[in-house]
Amino acid sequence: MPPLEAGTERTAETKMDAQLDSGNGATTDVQELRRVTPTDAKRQQRIPRWGIFLFVILAAFAVARTLQRGVETAKSTQPPARPVLVAKVVSKDVPIYLDEIGTCAAYETVLVQAQVIGKIMERHFQDGADVKKGDLLFTIDPAPYQAALDQAKAQAALDQVTLKRQADLRARNVIAPQDYDTAVANAQKSQAAAEAAQVNFDYCFIKSPINGRIGLRNVDIGNLVGPSTGSLVTIQGLDPIYTDFTVAETDLALVRKYLGGPNVKVQTWSPDAKIPPRSGDLYFIDTAVQPGSGTVKARGVTPNPDRALWPSEFVRVRFILDIIKDARLVPAQAVQISQRGPFIFVLKPDNTVDLRPVKPGQRQDGDLTVVENGVDPGETVVVTGQLALAPGTKVDPKPYNGGQTTSESDTAASRGAP
């Protein structure tokens, strides 16, 4: 059978045995070819329906398993949320201030001296005690001055009697006017002498001229003192007390801007910060810059009822110039510096972070910093853990309590990083 041409219908061939009689008694085996159509072949190769159904189920399972493995792989490659400490942006009134170093000075200082000559008979105070105005301090021997006072009073009394007699005679025109005028002058002179003797007698009792704290006495009982003698003791007024400090020349423009305003105050802090700051008023500011130092002298008056501040003591001074109303405050560690300037990471509702350029202001007490713009009150900012953050990074926020340092938080963040 010749081969089939290309493009013709192909058929399956099957051999069939047959015997032919050749006429001479011999038979010949003949093989007959039977054509089989394609339809018959398909019927013999048909796949059962349950097999197709099973194949579809297996294929779907394989696809689902492949997708599941892809999701798990994607999750395993996604970095974990980084631990950070966060805090809210708060709003409150804060001061504009200058921090300086100063010293305290007594509000009043009196050197007590003797104004009459005499021997000290008594001392009526304890060294270092608080005294009030009018308290008796020393008694100088008053005997000589008492005698002089008595003599002056007697002479004054005699002259007054003489004057009265001369006045009666003058009224009757018995004496000359000159005699009456002499009697008037003598009476006035003796009265003045009596008053002077009274003053000298009072000087024998030395009293405190101010309220304050008395120092160490310089003389004891029995010493002869007088106007030429040095001070007997020193008294210093400590309530209120002066706070002396200086303002740098570079800050003068800022000071002049607010000088005379209602919010100008002088806060005095003890060096060891064991007592609360004392708020006082600005008493004096110099009108010239000190040559060489480039500073201007200033003085405040500070209440000191408990005598906690002492003269010549070094103190910290906060010169408050004005008050910023409703300032926005964040922890100082939240403000970071880059090549483009200061910025803050702000926490978004989906626990990702956004980078905000900000303009930081003056640092305040409690480790807070004023932010002039870039954030709003109530927003949440990242305080620590910014080392490995970028915009859009997922974070695990924890509240900031001010007790953890930046290095500790960055260490925790590095541990959580892959």
Side-chain angles (χ1 to χ4, degrees), residues 37-50:
T37 63
T39 302
D40 296 336
K42 288 181 180 180
R43 289 176 181 176
Q44 294 177 359
Q45 299 177 0
R46 179 177 296 175
I47 300 175
R49 291 183 179 178
W50 63 268

Side-chain angles (χ1 to χ4, degrees), residues 63-308:
V63 171
R65 184 61 178 170
T66 302
L67 293 177
Q68 183 180 3
R69 288 180 178 177
V71 172
E72 291 177 353
T73 303
K75 289 183 178 180
S76 63
T77 57
Q78 185 178 2
R82 301 184 182 276
V84 295
L85 300 181
V86 297
K88 293 285 187 180
V89 180
V90 298
S91 176
K92 66 176 183 179
D93 298 344
V94 295
I96 300 174
Y97 63 88
L98 299 173
D99 280 340
E100 309 291 348
I101 300 297
T103 57
C104 290
Y107 188 75
E108 295 174 299
T109 301
V110 176
L111 302 179
V112 179
Q113 290 181 299
Q115 294 180 280
V116 292
I117 299 175
K119 183 174 66 174
I120 294 179
M121 303 299 293
E122 292 182 86
R123 174 172 57 88
H124 305 277
F125 65 89
Q126 180 67 34
D127 294 342
D130 290 331
V131 295
K132 295 181 180 180
K133 183 177 181 180
D135 286 351
L136 185 61
L137 304 179
F138 293 98
T139 299
I140 297 177
D141 185 7
Y145 300 97
Q146 180 68 58
L149 176 61
D150 294 340
Q151 182 179 1
K153 285 182 177 180
Q155 184 63 43
L158 178 60
D159 290 340
Q160 287 294 331
V161 172
T162 303
L163 175 61
K164 184 177 181 180
R165 186 180 297 112
Q166 293 293 333
D168 292 339
L169 295 175
R170 178 59 184 162
R172 287 181 292 176
N173 201 20
V174 175
I175 61 173
Q178 183 179 1
D179 295 336
Y180 175 75
D181 293 340
T182 301
V184 171
N186 289 336
Q188 292 177 347
K189 183 170 64 174
S190 60
Q191 181 64 31
E195 292 176 354
Q198 182 67 53
V199 170
N200 289 333
F201 177 77
D202 292 340
Y203 282 158
C204 294
F205 306 94
I206 301 175
K207 299 178 180 180
S208 174
I210 62 171
N211 296 331
R213 179 167 291 176
I214 201 163
L216 187 65
R217 67 186 185 278
N218 297 323
V219 294
D220 291 316
I221 297 175
N223 284 273
L224 184 65
V225 296
S228 60
T229 308
S231 63
L232 308 181
V233 73
T234 301
I235 304 175
Q236 293 182 320
L238 303 181
D239 182 27
I241 196 169
Y242 286 131
T243 300
D244 295 333
F245 60 99
T246 58
V247 177
E249 182 180 2
T250 54
D251 295 326
L252 281 180
L254 182 64
V255 172
R256 284 196 295 264
K257 179 180 178 181
Y258 297 103
L259 198 61
N263 297 321
V264 175
K265 296 290 181 181
V266 177
Q267 278 190 349
T268 304
W269 303 64
S270 64
D272 54 5
K274 290 184 178 179
I275 61 174
R278 312 287 176 90
S279 181
D281 297 323
L282 180 66
Y283 174 76
F284 163 79
I285 187 166
D286 206 350
T287 57
V289 178
Q290 298 297 313
S293 63
T295 58
V296 176
K297 293 180 179 180
R299 168 173 280 187
V301 179
T302 305
N304 191 33
D306 56 355
R307 311 295 197 274

